[in-house]
Every structure is written in structure tokens, then in C-alpha cells.
């Protein structure tokens, strides 16, 4: 059983839950399996190239985490849009905006919209989880004069906002099912990495927590930012500190990526300790899947 203390072997497989389905990826190859309304499983296999697939800069430690994060957002958005097509009410009519973008871009309107959505997502995430906590912490300047303590409070506020966000969206019915597919994705990868036959029974018996999960990565970003933002404790000026936090976003994501990759490849005591907070967070972002959800995850891995 995967729940027993048994060494796992790194598989290179990563994944993501989508609407009524699971995406699994290994290197450049990925597969999306969707449970259609008629009960059948639709599987699409394709190759995804990063922003700079041939560039050596994407292989440099700490820098590669930045490109990996952006590529993950791009692929994730693409797979979610693909899964949404199965559940649109009727044939979606092309809007005037779609036609205009296609005309201007030579038929690449959908890619432009997807790129815009990805950029907007990053901007909103930075505003909510980076800038807002800093602004709220500065409201305490009149009561707390210790800049180091304010930096810690800022980090606590950031984590609190993150937790509230996760709990709030988990109350939505569609998100709860998404979290179930997230659990199926983790269970399937754990089943593979523990060397068990890929059956529904073995998948369901496996753990729904995984060290390399995106939830763990985001939580690690919160923790790493607390430490790195101490650099600005002695820097005077509200706007200088604010702009400094924006400049630190790529650095924080790069450091967090290296930490989570290291933790996912080793069974050392230190890695286990480092992973515990993120694994605890996954209890909120993953739910126990049903047998048919496990079948979908298996189909994605096998494809």
C-alpha cells in the first residue's frame, strides 16, 4: 500500500486537475483525459514547448524556476480551456472580439486571449498576495516601530489571505470536484512512484499528498518571501520597498522551485520537515476522488 513508509522513485510526472479531468505531463509530452457527459473518457495527447525550448537559460538553477512557472500557467490555461469545451451549453458563438482579434492576428485570436488571461492572472496574484499584504502591514506603522516585526506580520497576513482564498473557493461545488480530481492526480502519481500496478484499487489506496504539488510550491513561495523581504527592512521609503517586492517575485519563485524540486527527489529528514507545511495545505486543495475519477487519472498517465 502506498500509505506505508516505502521509498518512492522520482518519475518525472507532474499533473493538474482540469474540469472533469486530469492533465499529466512528463518532459515535453502531456495528455489530458476528460470524463465526457456520456461517461466516456476523451484523451488528447500532445507536445508542449516552453517559451524558449532551445535556450540554455531555461536550464540554469534558480532561473529555470521562473520559466517553469510561466510555462505551467500557459499549459494549465490551455488544458482548462480544452476541458471547458466539453461542457459549454450548445455551440459557442464567435464574438465580435474573437473575430476582430482573428482578423488582426491572422487567426491567432485564441492564443492572444489566452496570453492576456495568463498575464492578468499573474498581475492579480501579485496584487493580492504580494502588494496587498504589504499595504495592510504598513497600516500598523503608527503602532509598531520595529521593521523586522512588521515584515513578519506582512508574511502572516499573506499566508492568512492565501488560506482564506483556498477555503472560500473550496465551498463552490465545481471547485470541490476539481479538488477531487486533484486528489486523483496525486494518488495516481504516488502509485506510479511507489512501483505499484496502475489499477483503480491501488490508486485509491495511495496518498493524495505529494511533495511536488503546486499547492506546496505556492505555500513555499509565501514562506521564502518572508525571509527574502527582510532585505528591505533597512531600505527607507514606502515606494522603494514596494517596488523591491515586485523585483523579488522572480527570485522568490526561482528559490521556491529549487527547494520543492529537491524535496521531491529525496527522502531525507530535512526534506520531510520542509515539505510538512505544504503537505498539510494539500488537505485543503485535494479531496478523496471516486473510482471513476481515478480511471480518468490512470487514462492520462497511460496515454
Amino acid at each position: 500500500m502506498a500509505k506505508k513508509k516505502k521509498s518512492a522513485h522520482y518519475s518525472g510526472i507532474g499533473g493538474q486537475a482540469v474540469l472533469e479531468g486530469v492533465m499529466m505531463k512528463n518532459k515535453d509530452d502531456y495528455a489530458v483525459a476528460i470524463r465526457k457527459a456520456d461517461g466516456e473518457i476523451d484523451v488528447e495527447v500532445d507536445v508542449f514547448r516552453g517559451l524558449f525550448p532551445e535556450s540554455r537559460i531555461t536550464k540554469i538553477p534558480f532561473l529555470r524556476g521562473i520559466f517553469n512557472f510561466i510555462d505551467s500557467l500557459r499549459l494549465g490555461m490551455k488544458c482548462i480551456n480544452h476541458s471547458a469545451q466539453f461542457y459549454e451549453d450548445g455551440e459557442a458563438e464567435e464574438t465580435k472580439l474573437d473575430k476582430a482579434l482573428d482578423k488582426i492576428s491572422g487567426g491567432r485570436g485564441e492564443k492572444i486571449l489566452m496570453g492576456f488571461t495568463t498575464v492578468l492572472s499573474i498581475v492579480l496574484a501579485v496584487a493580492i498576495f504580494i502588494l496587498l499584504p504589504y499595504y495592510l502591514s504598513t497600516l500598523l506603522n503608527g503602532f509598531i516601530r520595529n521593521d523586522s516585526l512588521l515584515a513578519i506580520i506582512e508574511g502572516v497576513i499573506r499566508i492568512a489571505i492565501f488560506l482564506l482564498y483556498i477555503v472560500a473557493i473550496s465551498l463552490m461545488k465545481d471547485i470541490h470536484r476539481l479538488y477531487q480530481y486533484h486528489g486523483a492526480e496525486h494518488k495516481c502519481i504516488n502509485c506510479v512512484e511507489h512501483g505499484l500496478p496502475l489499477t483503480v484499487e491501488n490508486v485509491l489506496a495511495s496518498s493524495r499528498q505529494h511533495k511536488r504539488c503546486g499547492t506546496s510550491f505556492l505555500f513555499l513561495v509565501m514562506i521564502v518571501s518572508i525571509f527574502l523581504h527582510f532585505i528591505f527592512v533597512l531600505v527607507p521609503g514606502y515606494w522603494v520597498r514596494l517596488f523591491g517586492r515586485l523585483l523579488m517575485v522572480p527570485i522568490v519563485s526561482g528559490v521556491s522551485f529549487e527547494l520543492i524540486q529537491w524535496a521531491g527527489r529525496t527522502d531525507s529528514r530535512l526534506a520531510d520537515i520542509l515539505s510538512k507545511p505544504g503537505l498539510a495545505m494539500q488537505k485543503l486543495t485535494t479531496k478523496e476522488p471516486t473510482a471513476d475519477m481515478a480511471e480518468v487519472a490512470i487514462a492520462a498517465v497511460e496515454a
Side-chain angles (χ1 to χ4, degrees):
M1 303 289 284
K3 289 184 178 180
K4 293 180 180 179
K5 189 65 177 178
K6 180 181 177 181
S7 295
H9 299 282
Y10 178 75
S11 64
I13 301 174
Q16 174 185 320
V18 297
L19 299 176
E20 295 300 323
V22 172
M23 180 274 288
M24 293 289 191
K25 182 176 182 290
N26 193 356
K27 296 182 179 178
D28 292 334
D29 300 314
Y30 76 94
V32 189
I34 309 294
R35 177 75 71 179
K36 298 193 296 184
D38 61 8
E40 292 185 5
I41 299 176
D42 178 89
V43 179
E44 180 181 273
V45 181
D46 205 346
V47 174
F48 178 78
R49 302 292 184 186
L51 282 175
F52 308 103
E54 306 301 328
S55 176
R56 292 183 179 180
I57 196 172
T58 61
K59 305 294 189 295
I60 299 175
F62 298 102
L63 286 181
R64 61 186 176 185
I66 302 169
F67 295 103
N68 183 273
F69 177 65
I70 295 173
D71 287 339
S72 294
L73 283 177
R74 290 174 60 228
L75 178 59
M77 196 68 66
K78 180 180 180 180
C79 293
I80 288 176
N81 288 339
H82 169 71
S83 65
Q85 293 175 3
F86 291 92
Y87 296 93
E88 291 176 348
D89 295 327
E91 290 294 326
E93 294 184 5
E94 192 175 26
T95 65
K96 291 182 179 180
L97 177 61
D98 293 327
K99 293 177 181 178
L101 284 175
D102 283 335
K103 186 176 180 180
I104 295 172
S105 62
R108 300 183 63 205
E110 185 178 350
K111 289 185 177 180
I112 292 175
L113 279 175
M114 189 167 64
F116 174 77
T117 304
T118 302
V119 172
L120 182 61
S121 300
I122 295 174
V123 171
L124 287 174
V126 170
I128 295 171
F129 299 112
I130 302 295
L131 303 184
L132 180 59
Y134 175 63
Y135 169 73
L136 293 176
S137 67
T138 59
L139 297 179
L140 300 174
N141 278 334
F143 308 95
I144 302 174
R145 297 295 182 182
N146 189 308
D147 289 336
S148 296
L149 180 57
L150 282 173
I152 295 173
I153 292 174
E154 177 191 346
V156 171
I157 293 174
R158 182 174 297 116
I159 293 173
I161 292 175
F162 183 56
L163 284 170
L164 286 173
Y165 170 76
I166 289 176
V167 172
I169 65 172
S170 68
L171 300 177
M172 301 167 62
K173 180 182 176 181
D174 290 342
I175 297 298
H176 182 83
R177 286 190 63 80
L178 191 71
Y179 284 174
Q180 284 183 288
Y181 276 106
H182 190 194
E185 173 225 325
H186 282 192
K187 283 173 172 283
C188 208
I189 294 175
N190 277 322
C191 184
V192 170
E193 294 187 337
H194 283 83
L196 298 171
L198 205 54
T199 64
V200 172
E201 182 181 5
N202 285 338
V203 168
L204 291 177
S206 298
S207 172
R208 72 174 199 258
Q209 297 171 306
H210 198 282
K211 289 180 180 179
R212 290 184 287 111
C213 173
T215 303
S216 293
F217 170 75
L218 291 175
F219 188 76
L220 199 54
V221 165
M222 307 290 171
I223 301 300
V224 170
S225 68
I226 294 176
F227 290 97
L228 292 186
H229 286 173
F230 270 103
I231 295 173
F232 302 103
V233 167
L234 299 178
V235 178
Y238 175 88
W239 293 106
V240 175
R241 291 184 177 186
L242 184 65
F243 187 66
R245 280 159 171 75
L246 292 176
L247 291 178
M248 290 294 287
V249 171
I251 299 173
V252 169
S253 63
V255 172
S256 300
F257 177 81
E258 296 302 326
L259 287 173
I260 202 167
Q261 285 294 306
W262 167 75
R265 293 170 184 263
T266 179
D267 290 322
S268 70
R269 178 69 174 168
L270 181 59
D272 288 341
I273 294 173
L274 180 67
S275 301
K276 282 187 181 299
L279 294 174
M281 285 290 298
Q282 290 176 40
K283 292 181 179 179
L284 295 174
T285 61
T286 63
K287 303 297 180 184
E288 285 297 325
T290 59
D292 62 330
M293 291 176 175
E295 288 177 353
V296 173
I298 291 172
V301 171
E302 290 181 337

